Amino acid sequence: MLRSVMALSTRLRSRVKGTLRRITLAGVAFLLLMADGGISGDELQCELAVDRMLTCCPELGSVSLSCVRSGCGGTMVPDIDESRAACLRNASCEQLKAQGVCDPATWETPLNCMPPCMLKVPKCQ
Amino acid sequence: MPNSEGEAKVADAVSLEPLAVVEVLPSPRRARWFGRLSAGFAYRWAFRESLLGGAFEGELGAQDNRFAGGVRLRVEAGRMQAGLLYQVVTLGPSFWLPSIAERLRFGMGLEAGAVMVDRRTVPGSAMWTVAWGGRIDAAVDLVRVGTSGGLFFSTGVAAQVLTAAPFPVTVVAGAALGYRP
């Protein structure tokens, strides 16, 4: 009798241990996924476009553009949208210089910028 | 000093016998430490872009005369062909099959970690995502050192899932030179 009770208790303890281990692992995996910063396509394209601009126009030094997407539903979006970023990436350095990308004074206000809009981005056609 | 005539005869016989060296082979099932270090280059395809970099791998575990296995840490760093710098760090279990012709070994492993891409707009910060997947490796011994060690050339290919990225899969191939004590 005592032996069977002890066996049951051991089995129960190992089952509880197994369940706890599974819950801990699932929790760690969940936290890892929740903590995942993620790389969005528009962020990456924006950063690549800025890299292209700075490579072709070293005189810019640095740019006051943001490529961050954040907030629930993306309340903060990259300053350079994907189509403009693709245009900047595909153009040659000569084309970028000819379009005034290397001169921030010629940059334009993006169409979707809500007033009062202080943002200026390089033109690209 | 021998106490009797018989004992004296035995002592003389023992002293006249040449010394025999008996080599005791280790038990094939006995587990020993296993470790390897390697450094090489890597080509990665991720985010629909090509990435070129260098990779460093360290592995620690156990081996017997046939199998080896352990935990592998892999650090990769380089540059996207499009310009941005990137880093990949993964950790996971690895397993090596028995060697073929005492020189060639195939291995496999699972790995999980992170892929990071440096931002150009904010120097010092990076975008990152979780990566997990598996890999297959082959290693050929160039120079044998001792019973199980050596200098080796290895090559491998891995595929990983990216949890939040413009394209959810990355594939990496590479070659490296390494040392196994």
Side-chain angles (χ1 to χ4, degrees):
Chain A
M1 175 73 178
L2 185 66
R3 206 175 277 175
S4 66
V5 168
M6 279 175 73
L8 187 70
S9 152
T10 311
R11 222 179 303 151
L12 204 68
R13 213 177 298 158
S14 70
R15 198 174 289 178
V16 167
K17 262 187 195 171
T19 308
L20 279 175
R21 198 178 302 145
R22 273 196 289 275
I23 289 171
T24 308
L25 277 173
V28 168
F30 179 72
L31 285 174
L32 202 66
L33 288 174
M34 290 298 286
D36 190 347
I39 299 175
S40 68
D42 56 357
E43 273 185 303
L44 184 66
Q45 291 301 321
C46 175
E47 293 288 352
L48 289 168
V50 169
D51 182 71
R52 179 92 184 125
M53 285 164 52
L54 294 175
T55 304
C56 292
C57 314
E59 63 270 28
L60 284 174
S62 63
V63 288
S64 57
L65 294 168
S66 164
C67 290
V68 175
R69 168 177 284 278
S70 68
C72 290
T75 49
M76 194 173 172
V77 294
D79 290 345
I80 300 176
D81 61 38
E82 281 192 85
S83 61
R84 194 184 295 266
C87 175
L88 291 166
R89 285 189 62 197
N90 293 333
S92 67
C93 284
E94 288 71 31
Q95 284 171 323
L96 292 181
K97 282 174 185 160
Q99 290 183 56
V101 170
C102 300
D103 181 8
T106 67
W107 290 8
E108 64 184 6
T109 303
L111 287 173
N112 56 355
C113 190
M114 300 292 279
C117 182
M118 306 293 284
L119 177 64
K120 299 280 184 190
V121 292
K123 288 179 194 168
C124 192
Q125 285 157 356
Chain B
M1 280 291 286
N3 293 333
S4 65
E5 194 181 334
E7 279 182 14
K9 278 181 184 170
V10 169
D12 285 347
V14 168
S15 63
L16 291 173
E17 284 293 320
L19 286 172
V21 177
V22 180
E23 194 174 338
V24 181
L25 291 171
S27 163
R29 300 195 68 128
R30 208 191 77 191
R32 308 180 306 281
W33 283 104
F34 170 70
R36 61 197 290 278
L37 290 170
S38 68
F41 77 88
Y43 168 79
R44 182 177 286 273
W45 186 81
F47 321 118
R48 297 193 183 93
E49 305 275 347
S50 289
L51 294 77
L52 283 171
F56 174 82
E57 281 184 14
E59 198 173 328
L60 193 62
Q63 64 181 342
D64 61 14
N65 278 9
R66 301 180 67 207
F67 300 100
V71 174
R72 182 188 307 191
L73 173 70
R74 186 171 194 278
V75 180
E76 181 188 326
R79 184 181 287 274
M80 296 173 75
Q81 276 196 323
L84 300 176
L85 299 174
Y86 80 96
Q87 302 86 40
V88 182
V89 179
T90 56
L91 186 73
S94 63
F95 181 73
W96 291 90
L97 297 169
S99 60
I100 299 168
E102 304 226 332
R103 289 184 85 84
L104 179 64
R105 251 187 154 176
F106 289 98
M108 63 203 79
L110 298 173
E111 48 195 9
V115 176
M116 291 154 277
V117 178
D118 286 8
R119 285 188 184 277
R120 192 69 203 265
T121 49
V122 189
S125 75
M127 302 171 276
W128 67 280
T129 183
V130 171
W132 53 271
R135 62 179 299 116
I136 298 170
D137 296 284
V140 64
D141 283 349
L142 303 174
V143 180
R144 298 292 298 268
V145 179
T147 51
S148 62
L151 290 170
F152 63 86
F153 169 80
S154 69
T155 182
V157 63
Q160 291 149 1
V161 170
L162 302 175
T163 55
F167 193 78
V169 174
T170 174
V171 179
V172 61
L177 286 172
Y179 174 68
R180 186 182 65 244

